[in-house]
Amino acid sequence: CDEKFNLVFVIPVDDEALKKHILNSTHSENADECARDKEEFLRKFFNVTLRIKPHQPTEMYEFAQKLNTKYALEFNSATVNIASKEYAKNPRRVIQLFNNLSAELANYNDTFASQYETLICKILIIREEYNKFYQELLKDYTLLSSTELPEKVATPELMRLLSDTRSYTSNFDSHILSRIL
């Protein structure tokens, strides 16, 4: 065998997600032993593992703002803030949200889209991430500003989103909400 080439394959993968699918930790009586088994199994395929540290919230805001500037999206700072907070751990989702939001805003005239951009963004996130709540919201617009939600839709993540964004999207009448929803 002539070894003239030194090949390196870079395989981007979430090793923690991959480990969850390799072995179910409930099959092992010892969680530490199971974790070692998963790690050892991955070493059979990957010689080197490079772990990238999670993004910090301020880094994600900077990332979202750079996208906003680079692609001349012209989203306001409140919209960028909501997007970066909601997807603070996933830059790919920020990009996807910005693409979806651009398409969504095209459904409205420029004045309406500009005036209600942040509200439209918030509702788009709710529609994509919290569909059960979105379905309830279609029936009762007041849920958007409510601090008490039906138990079947109230999750800590949804409550955080609603609380964090309340100041950006409060005091809209039902006519505006029905047009967006």
Side-chain angles (χ1 to χ4, degrees):
C1 179
D2 189 7
E3 293 188 25
K4 294 180 182 179
F5 303 102
N6 186 8
L7 294 176
V8 174
F9 295 94
V10 177
I11 304 171
V13 65
D14 181 344
D15 63 327
E16 292 302 319
L18 190 55
K19 286 179 201 175
K20 286 179 187 175
H21 296 288
I22 292 172
L23 294 170
N24 187 345
S25 61
T26 60
H27 290 129
S28 174
E29 302 215 2
N30 184 336
D32 289 337
E33 181 183 328
C34 186
R36 282 192 302 275
D37 289 346
K38 291 176 183 182
E39 201 62 50
E40 187 59 36
F41 184 78
L42 286 180
R43 284 190 202 118
K44 291 178 181 182
F45 300 99
F46 303 105
N47 293 333
V48 176
T49 301
L50 175 65
R51 289 186 171 85
I52 300 171
K53 70 177 186 75
H55 295 281
Q56 299 299 313
T58 55
E59 293 172 328
M60 192 56 72
Y61 180 82
E62 290 171 15
F63 172 75
Q65 190 58 46
K66 284 180 184 177
L67 289 174
N68 191 32
T69 303
K70 180 178 180 178
Y71 296 107
L73 299 172
E74 300 179 0
F75 295 143
N76 65 49
S77 61
T79 299
V80 173
N81 188 41
I82 288 173
S84 66
K85 275 186 177 178
E86 184 62 23
Y87 300 116
K89 296 179 181 175
N90 194 337
R92 181 187 54 78
R93 286 296 285 127
V94 172
I95 295 168
Q96 187 176 16
L97 176 67
F98 281 177
N99 289 337
N100 292 345
L101 182 57
S102 293
E104 189 76 22
L105 292 172
N107 291 325
Y108 307 100
N109 67 50
D110 291 344
T111 305
F112 187 90
S114 176
Q115 185 173 1
Y116 299 109
E117 170 189 298
T118 305
L119 179 62
I120 294 167
C121 177
K122 178 178 178 174
I123 291 175
L124 183 59
I125 290 169
I126 290 169
R127 188 173 72 205
E128 291 180 0
E129 301 298 324
Y130 309 101
N131 195 267
K132 284 182 183 178
F133 178 66
Y134 180 75
Q135 296 305 317
E136 294 298 315
L137 193 56
L138 291 174
K139 299 174 201 167
D140 181 4
Y141 303 154
T142 64
L143 289 174
L144 194 61
S145 58
S146 178
T147 56
E148 297 291 324
L149 296 181
E151 193 173 305
K152 65 182 176 181
V153 297
T155 65
E157 296 83 10
L158 174 60
M159 297 306 288
R160 180 202 41 80
L161 171 68
L162 294 176
S163 175
D164 288 353
T165 60
R166 189 165 284 117
S167 64
Y168 296 131
T169 60
S170 60
N171 301 323
F172 292 108
D173 64 35
S174 60
H175 172 70
I176 299 299
L177 288 172
S178 67
R179 185 169 176 195
I180 295 170
L181 292 168

